[in-house]
Amino acid sequence: MNRRTTITDVARAAGVSVATVSKAINGRYGVSPDTLSHVMTVVEDLGYESSLVATSMRRRSTNVIGVLVAEFEPFALQLLRGVSAALEGTDYDVLAYAGSVSAGEHLGWERRSLSRLGGTLIDGAILVTPTTTRAETSVPIVAVDPHVGADGPATIGVANLEGARAATDHLISLGHRRIAHLRGRTDLESAQERERGYREALTAAGIPFDPALVVDGGYRAADSTAGAHAILDLPDTPTAVFAANDLSAIEMMRIATERGLRVPADLSVVGFDDILDAASHAPQLTTVRQPLPEMGTAAVRMLLDVLKGSDPEPVRMPTTLIVRESTAAPRQ
Amino acid sequence: MNRRTTITDVARAAGVSVATVSKAINGRYGVSPDTLSHVMTVVEDLGYESSLVATSMRRRSTNVIGVLVAEFEPFALQLLRGVSAALEGTDYDVLAYAGSVSAGEHLGWERRSLSRLGGTLIDGAILVTPTTTRAETSVPIVAVDPHVGADGPATIGVANLEGARAATDHLISLGHRRIAHLRGRTDLESAQERERGYREALTAAGIPFDPALVVDGGYRAADSTAGAHAILDLPDTPTAVFAANDLSAIEMMRIATERGLRVPADLSVVGFDDILDAASHAPQLTTVRQPLPEMGTAAVRMLLDVLKGSDPEPVRMPTTLIVRESTAAPRQ
DNA sequence: CTGTTAGCGCATTCAA
DNA sequence: TTGAATGCGCTAACAG
């Protein structure tokens, strides 16, 4: 648990000044070849590496890209995979940060995290499903699946409405008529769009919309438990559920199974996202795929563009219905 | 792209000194209730949040836990999930860092990353599959699946040998006799242990060990391609392959399929890790599960213990063989 | 109770 | 070519 070796240690060991070491490391002019090689040797010996913290206080850029998330859930992790892959080979490091939103916190996690890291530590940030995209930030940002709508200049969104329609159409085409919707967080645009897609599909099929069939899930497993029960407690139990995301779909299946129902024999379930858990669940979840790694890659590309000064167009990625095992025709 | 609001901005807006703002924010004594509430109002208005960087330079602790990885691959991501879950509800933030190992870098990524973040930015670090566990660090560390052996004081390891034996035993029990091993990185202890488990299983079953059947894979998909081909090019082609991890197992399946073989009809494949991709692959991969999220949780618990001053015992997690679809009896 | 001062580790002037 | 001084945003010790 020793102290880090600082630039001062290197300077002392090399018998030169701190400034010389700094210049040598950063390849600035004004260091004699002899001194340079000597300093570099000492640097190697001591295993010195400049402190990100100190560097970032003085320098403009740190070559670190921040990925800011509310928490490390599967959606963000899949995205991170794409981000990491896209940055492979560049000289950027990736710093993923999950800021805890301690109770009583007024600003959203994204503002808090940006405020803490921005300006200095990171050159730019990728915000994953932020609830706000206010532009008054200190570093360039790209928002992925922002919950207020993917219409900002630097945003990566997905076709929520179309995806939700496809999911619901799929259930209808299997013969389901009584289809519940385990809704996402109602304050988020993605949830609203998915609900709209659900309703549009019903309308298009001539199925009257029943408000009782829409139950709040909130996108998180723990928040979906009550909703899942509520759906199964409905009089004239629905034969199918379109859940607003995979986590709540999986929770829906868990509760259904717990209550003795079989999926898909007694209840069909469709999710949204296609996180890896969807395919590894038993039964495998039918869902609407968002191309998460590709979205991460696109976000990186967009951020690097912004960093270069350009002003990119918003990107809207397509969704694909992935039919697996959790959906089937209703029993007669 | 404005400047961040700094503590100076707040001080100026509130008409007090910087020190007073600092004290108010950090709840130190010596601020009158009036001043306090006034300052806090300004803080709210301006949306001020202290810079992690600056704070960490002056303070002992930042309440940030670092998770240091070489890259964000599935193994690390699953682990991160456990880490994140374990830190939920505490007032710790999680900072996951992937340091790019630019070519010509001599120190390992873990030393580089620790050097960059350590000392100030993070209170402690969880190193994911580090190749070294040298103790000369500036912050407490816990190593997960360290590649030099899980015998350090603060390490979380898995039963590599037993897992590898189970995997190989499974193939043998299916009737395979000619079983290849797509080995991991030979400089890493985990790879050596897995190879040992493979050999022990063969020996126990009375199958002579054939060195030609062991081919290097290197744990990464890209590094396994050549090895996968090599195995299939072997005279008297093996009927089964035990790959040192899931990524190389999946690559093995990909190459086999590409060459017209069917898995498991023509070739059985077993992996190691049970990353989520294993179960979502078609055919689903038979593999040896490491309880990754639990390992992440255990790492957090251990790190918090270390932070509290205790000196924990190393933990060795059990592995479980998960039989799925990629293994079957050999054809006659 | 409040403001002033020093310094964390580093990169950047500017002077020697 | 080198080195001493300066300041980044912040907190802790001290002075007022």
Side-chain angles (χ1 to χ4, degrees), chain B residues 46-66:
Chain B
L46 269 49
Y48 168 77
E49 193 80 25
S50 76
S51 155
L52 225 205
V53 171
T55 306
S56 76
M57 288 248 310
R58 297 292 306 152
R59 259 210 183 148
R60 239 322 174 30
S61 96
T62 54
N63 272 23
V64 176
I65 297 284

Side-chain angles (χ1 to χ4, degrees), chain B residues 225 228-229 231-232 237 241 248-269 281-285 325-326:
Chain B
T225 315
H229 279 296
I231 286 176
L232 298 180
T237 314
V241 179
S248 53
I250 289 171
E251 181 67 3
M252 181 75 237
M253 292 196 283
R254 193 179 72 77
I255 297 298
T257 307
E258 194 176 284
R259 292 175 57 151
L261 297 174
R262 288 161 304 158
V263 176
D266 302 317
L267 185 75
S268 285
V269 178
H281 189 273
Q284 294 187 20
L285 181 67
E325 304 166 352
S326 66

Side-chain angles (χ1 to χ4, degrees), chain A residues 34-57:
Chain A
D34 283 359
T35 325
L36 181 80
S37 71
H38 177 222
V39 168
M40 293 314 273
T41 310
V42 174
V43 166
E44 283 287 323
D45 284 356
L46 270 49
Y48 168 78
E49 193 80 25
S50 78
S51 154
L52 229 202
V53 171
T55 305
S56 74
M57 289 253 304

Side-chain angles (χ1 to χ4, degrees), chain B residues 17 19-20 23 30 32 35 57-58:
Chain B
S17 80
T20 305
K23 277 186 272 193
S32 73
T35 323
M57 288 248 310
R58 297 292 306 152

Side-chain angles (χ1 to χ4, degrees), chain B residues 203-214:
Chain B
T203 305
I207 302 175
F209 169 68
D210 178 355
L213 287 176
V214 176

